[in-house]
Amino acid sequence: MTTNLDLTDIQGNIIKAYGAYNFQKARYLFLRINNGDKGRQFVDAITAKVTTAIPWGKSENGDVAVEKPRVTTNIAFTYSGLEALELPTASLREFPDDFMMGMSKRKDILGDDGPSDPENWDKIWKEKVHIWISINAPDMDALIERYNWVAQQVEASDGGVTLLTGHRGGDDEENLPYQDASVLYDESGNPTPKEHFGYTDGIGDPVFEGQTNVAARVLGRGKLMRDGSWAPLATGEFLLGHVDEAMEYPKTAPSPMLLSRNGTYMVYRKLHENVAAFNRFLDEQSKSFSGSKEMLAAKFAGRWRDNGAPIVNAPDDASKDEWDKAFEAADFAGKKRMLTDFTYNNDLHGAKCPYSAHLRRINPRGSLEYGVKEAYETPGALVNRRRILRRGLPYGAVKDAARDDGNHGIIFMALNADIQRQFEFVQQQWINYANDFKEGNDKEILLGNHDTKHPSKAVLQVEPGSGKPPHFINNIPRLVETRGGDYFFIPSITALKLIAAGMVDPT
Amino acid sequence: MSNIAGKAYAMNVITPIRWYTTWTNKLFFKAALLIPETLKGLLTLSLIHYARWVIIPRDGFPRLDPSQPKEELHYAYMLFFSNFNGSWDQYVDSFTFAIPSGLDLFWKWNIRYPKSVPLTPFHDYIRHNQIDTAHYYNAYPMAASNDVKSAQKVKKALIDFNAKSSDKSADDFLKDYHMLLNNLQHDFGDMKPTPIVSLSSYEVKKRYEQTKA
């Protein structure tokens, strides 16, 4: 069991969702390495500025703490990037297949077809992407300052690395050299936790062993135990070189241990949101729905749009009012708890939170036991190894809510120790398929790769025996489309230094 | 050769076991059959069509012809045979996560059985002793076992409904129809060719196209 993480060795974006620290802006850069020596020098220069996971400000338990920086910088590599940096073959061949292949070649697993097909991605994904660099900052000034610094390092590499262009932007740009992302603001200019469909996002990231303040955060976010309590997940689900839920070191870690330990894999996806299609769809469907439009929107996601209230605890308009009152009255910790601490034990049939709702599909908690008493070793037996850390921010602005073809969506990043077992499994088996939910091929409503040739439907279940028919949602359009992305390896600080020095030795 | 047909995977694993300890395994199998409660984990795993464990005595292997020399076997063998939906990894992972102690009991005394947790030695053990499937026929390549079960339930319910509702008033008919939908609300899943079981196998797609042709 890992009780203390070496936070000075782990990149900050693995442990921290920077958005939660009021870093409202992000910029993502992608680079190609043209020359091994110069590429390693570039990595060395960037490494000096890489943000670690060390706590900011004063920490309660006397841990080492540093002042919160003005801007953060993190770096990761594709498989071909590591090849270009001339890692030894003995190390390279030990990376997992999914990472070696990269995201576009995994399209048949991910369901990236039709409008999500790699053919339709931003132009940059036709390039050889080797390096990902992220910059997060509270404001654009700090962000641009760091961006300019990175650009100087590119310049100084003397052709060793190229900053790639080809990101689509909001003003008909096709060739931007960066992808910007930002929290969305309300009408008075205050930052919100919303995405473009109006849902409150980023609640309930998994909590694992070794993180700080685990006891307070683990409710509803760790793994569900038989006695109803929650325990942090094993560190090795999210960090290589640590024991995972199968009581072993992740086998996705290449040797030497110094190269992989405290690193992880990241899935980067630019997800376009068809805002007009979503609004039209919600309007149409709510005409035949017995509850309010907001209640129907909550059925799609499993959370109410305005404050993220889990629908399993606020299943209709009346109970939502009650929930809101209790939420208002709760203190900070109580609010957090109301948002995350729940199960589907009282909703085995999906009458409150439908089986096709986003929340239930991406984290079914104990519900895959289907109420069979102690069916499995532990209630989350089929869930605990399918969790992902989610990072990212919305991008773009909805200029015309009646059109789908703007540039707006979410930069989604999933971090996990095993892309195939965690991210890809959730995407393939739980979002685009539903055998585990006994719903055949019915897809998750919001993210499913619905297609017009074979129109999707979803069943919003009701109480069994009530005599009421379930509500059917028909002709679900493709609401979210993939516009690009790849699989990256986020090395530890130690590994970055070894890579930069050309000293990786698998012996 | 293909272990995959449509959405299903056929797995055969044959493992050596000391002949004089097989009675314990047989006892476990018998107990499991007598007390179905012990198999509830297996039964709740909805990706499984079925699973079967058989002990083959060391003198029990068939010969094609009396002229085929009898083998002198040192061990008895345990045959594990299962059909399931999803990929090899998904199945073996689900098994070990959900019912690790049950697996350990069934494979108890098998030679070099490493226990189901940690995962990698178990993976290696199963793969090492797996006999790949030479030919595999699937009558419903697009269906998972849950789809077949649901289809049976829907068919029966519809036939019953039809028989009972023919003389009802419009209001009663609607009431009964709503009741029918309520009873079947977990059996309306669509059936489509996805997901692919493995990237190296496009069988699902091919079969689907065959069924359309």
Side-chain angles (χ1 to χ4, degrees):
Chain A
M1 287 292 171
T2 306
T3 48
N4 281 307
L5 297 178
D6 184 357
L7 296 172
T8 54
D9 194 41
I10 300 167
Q11 291 206 46
N13 60 323
I14 300 175
I15 303 292
K16 293 184 174 94
Y18 292 132
Y21 294 83
N22 203 28
F23 283 64
Q24 299 172 18
K25 304 288 179 187
R27 180 166 284 186
Y28 305 104
L29 315 174
F30 297 91
L31 303 99
R32 184 184 65 230
I33 299 159
N34 306 312
N35 172 289
D37 274 335
K38 291 174 180 176
R40 286 192 295 274
Q41 280 170 31
F42 174 80
V43 173
D44 187 51
I46 299 295
T47 300
K49 295 269 190 201
V50 162
T51 309
T52 72
I54 200 155
W56 295 333
K58 276 185 192 157
S59 86
E60 290 158 22
N61 51 5
D63 279 351
V64 201
V66 295
E67 207 176 314
K68 184 174 160 183
R70 256 198 35 88
V71 57
T72 68
T73 306
N74 292 100
I75 186 167
F77 306 93
T78 59
Y79 179 75
S80 50
L82 295 173
E83 275 182 319
L85 288 165
E86 299 169 328
L87 253 66
T89 305
S91 293
L92 287 171
R93 64 201 281 267
E94 289 179 359
F95 280 99
D97 292 353
D98 44 55
F99 173 67
M100 289 170 117
M101 290 172 76
M103 201 170 87
S104 61
K105 286 188 183 150
R106 309 285 287 182
K107 67 175 187 173
D108 292 314
I109 287 175
L110 299 174
D112 284 336
D113 57 8
S116 299
D117 191 282
E119 271 178 25
N120 302 317
W121 290 1
D122 285 8
K123 271 168 38 184
I124 189 162
W125 301 105
K126 300 263 189 293
E127 305 275 352
K128 268 269 167 218
V129 172
H130 290 155
I131 302 179
W132 166 91
I133 291 177
S134 69
I135 303 169
N136 289 63
D139 55 72
M140 283 310 281
D141 288 350
L143 186 147
I144 288 172
E145 197 183 303
R146 181 57 56 89
Y147 170 71
N148 289 337
W149 176 83
V150 174
Q152 282 167 19
Q153 307 312 308
V154 174
E155 189 67 33
S157 79
D158 189 25
V161 296
T162 305
L163 178 61
L164 298 171
T165 62
H167 298 278
R168 198 171 163 227
D171 296 310
D172 295 328
E173 303 100 332
E174 293 289 338
N175 251 331
L176 289 176
Y178 49 77
Q179 173 68 54
D180 276 350
S182 165
V183 299
L184 300 182
Y185 298 90
D186 66 14
E187 281 152 9
S188 22
N190 298 314
T192 72
K194 305 271 180 196
E195 49 68 63
H196 294 291
F197 290 160
Y199 290 103
T200 303
D201 204 5
I203 306 169
D205 234 14
V207 167
F208 59 92
E209 195 99 32
Q211 283 181 309
T212 51
N213 203 14
V214 160
R217 298 162 66 201
V218 76
L219 298 172
R221 296 169 60 182
K223 54 182 174 184
L224 181 60
M225 308 303 280
R226 187 54 77 196
D227 64 0
S229 66
W230 296 88
L233 290 149
T235 313
E237 294 297 309
F238 306 102
L239 277 177
L240 303 178
H242 297 266
V243 173
D244 63 21
E245 284 289 329
M247 308 292 280
E248 61 185 10
Y249 292 100
K251 54 184 175 177
T252 51
S255 60
M257 188 71 136
L258 287 177
L259 173 64
S260 51
R261 186 178 156 85
N262 288 334
T264 196
Y265 295 98
M266 178 183 76
V267 175
Y268 175 99
R269 274 164 92 75
K270 181 177 185 177
L271 298 176
H272 174 76
E273 293 184 275
N274 287 322
V275 174
F278 174 77
N279 289 330
R280 214 165 38 233
F281 170 64
L282 180 59
D283 281 342
E284 270 167 29
Q285 294 292 333
S286 61
K287 280 178 203 159
S288 59
F289 183 65
S290 57
S292 68
K293 181 167 127 179
E294 280 308 313
M295 180 178 156
L296 184 62
K299 288 272 188 191
F300 295 169
R303 289 189 186 279
W304 291 76
R305 288 203 289 184
D306 58 346
N307 56 14
I311 195 166
V312 70
N313 285 342
D316 52 34
D317 294 289
S319 56
K320 171 63 166 32
D321 285 343
E322 293 299 311
W323 193 94
D324 284 351
K325 277 180 209 146
F327 191 63
E328 257 335 288
D331 59 7
F332 180 75
K335 281 191 167 73
K336 286 257 173 204
R337 188 175 174 154
M338 287 181 74
L339 287 171
T340 62
D341 187 13
F342 59 91
T343 67
Y344 300 107
N345 291 347
N346 294 320
D347 187 30
L348 292 176
H349 303 283
K352 294 167 182 163
C353 185
Y355 286 3
S356 293
H358 176 69
L359 204 61
R360 194 158 182 153
R361 286 287 185 95
I362 60 162
N363 180 9
R365 298 170 186 240
S367 68
L368 296 183
E369 281 193 319
Y370 290 94
V372 177
K373 200 164 168 277
E374 299 185 13
Y376 307 144
E377 185 84 355
T378 177
L382 301 187
V383 180
N384 297 340
R385 307 210 72 205
R386 315 293 187 189
R387 306 296 308 282
I388 51 176
L389 297 171
R390 290 166 299 143
R391 299 285 177 261
L393 285 171
Y395 71 86
V398 179
K399 292 176 179 169
D400 182 349
R403 297 175 64 120
D404 283 328
D405 59 357
N407 184 61
H408 38 70
I410 295 175
I411 299 300
F412 170 82
M413 286 165 289
L415 277 58
N416 49 212
D418 188 334
I419 294 172
Q420 185 185 311
R421 170 168 52 80
Q422 293 165 280
F423 167 73
E424 285 186 349
F425 180 91
V426 172
Q427 185 73 26
Q428 185 192 33
Q429 297 291 325
W430 288 354
I431 289 177
N432 290 329
Y433 187 50
N435 193 43
D436 282 351
F437 298 85
K438 306 185 183 180
E439 291 198 307
N441 275 83
D442 286 2
K443 301 168 200 281
E444 190 262 289
I445 298 170
L446 294 171
L447 289 180
N449 61 346
H450 310 293
D451 99 68
T452 41
K453 265 192 276 174
H454 309 279
S456 289
K457 64 128 186 14
V459 180
L460 306 186
Q461 290 89 4
V462 292
E463 283 300 336
S466 64
K468 286 186 197 152
H471 185 83
F472 293 93
I473 303 282
N474 295 307
N475 295 316
I476 310 175
R478 181 83 58 106
L479 299 171
V480 174
E481 297 170 3
T482 313
R483 287 291 162 81
D486 213 335
Y487 293 162
F488 295 86
F489 173 60
I490 310 178
S492 67
I493 308 297
T494 302
L496 281 174
K497 287 178 177 169
L498 286 176
I499 292 167
M503 279 171 47
V504 175
D505 175 19
T507 64
Chain B
M1 179 201 90
S2 178
N3 298 303
I4 297 166
K7 286 179 178 172
Y9 191 109
M11 182 189 272
N12 323 285
V13 179
I14 187 157
T15 46
I17 183 166
R18 288 179 191 90
W19 60 268
Y20 50 86
T21 60
T22 55
W23 65 273
T24 54
N25 302 73
K26 286 182 184 166
L27 199 67
F28 294 139
F29 299 164
K30 190 150 254 175
L33 286 174
L34 286 172
I35 318 163
E37 170 81 359
T38 53
L39 295 174
K40 64 188 172 185
L42 200 64
L43 296 172
T44 311
L45 281 173
S46 65
L47 50 79
I48 296 178
H49 296 204
Y50 69 89
R52 184 170 184 179
W53 285 262
V54 182
I55 298 286
I56 306 171
R58 57 183 178 149
D59 58 0
F61 278 83
R63 286 181 298 157
L64 295 175
D65 186 89
S67 67
Q68 183 182 347
K70 230 176 178 180
E71 279 183 291
E72 287 288 322
L73 291 172
H74 187 56
Y75 292 113
Y77 284 83
M78 188 169 96
L79 171 71
F80 169 67
F81 181 44
S82 178
N83 285 17
F84 56 88
N85 295 118
S87 73
W88 191 95
D89 276 316
Q90 286 159 13
Y91 178 72
V92 176
D93 288 0
S94 296
F95 243 48
T96 53
F97 306 156
I99 47 169
S101 41
L103 296 183
D104 290 347
L105 203 59
F106 274 24
W107 263 281
K108 208 176 173 69
W109 309 121
N110 276 250
I111 302 296
R112 298 205 182 171
Y113 174 69
K115 288 207 154 194
S116 55
V117 177
L119 190 63
T120 302
F122 180 72
H123 264 199
D124 293 346
Y125 176 80
I126 295 292
R127 192 66 192 110
H128 181 77
N129 291 299
Q130 185 178 345
I131 310 286
D132 286 314
T133 308
H135 180 73
Y136 185 22
Y137 172 74
N138 184 342
Y140 306 103
M142 272 221 288
S145 62
N146 282 335
D147 300 324
V148 176
K149 281 182 248 175
S150 284
Q152 287 177 329
K153 192 175 161 190
V154 170
K155 184 179 176 185
K156 183 176 183 314
L158 270 179
I159 291 169
D160 291 351
F161 178 76
N162 187 44
K164 278 186 209 157
S165 64
S166 51
D167 297 331
K168 294 213 165 153
S169 71
D171 284 351
D172 284 348
F173 179 89
L174 186 65
K175 205 178 135 207
D176 286 0
Y177 179 62
H178 284 166
M179 196 97 78
L180 176 77
L181 294 178
N182 183 294
N183 290 338
L184 296 174
Q185 65 174 346
H186 293 115
D187 300 290
F188 290 133
D190 271 352
M191 224 165 69
K192 292 178 188 175
T194 54
I196 54 166
V197 175
S198 85
L199 264 186
S200 53
S201 166
Y202 284 85
E203 289 302 313
V204 173
K205 205 177 262 178
K206 279 192 231 153
R207 295 256 175 174
Y208 180 53
E209 275 151 13
Q210 280 168 13
T211 57
K212 278 198 306 185

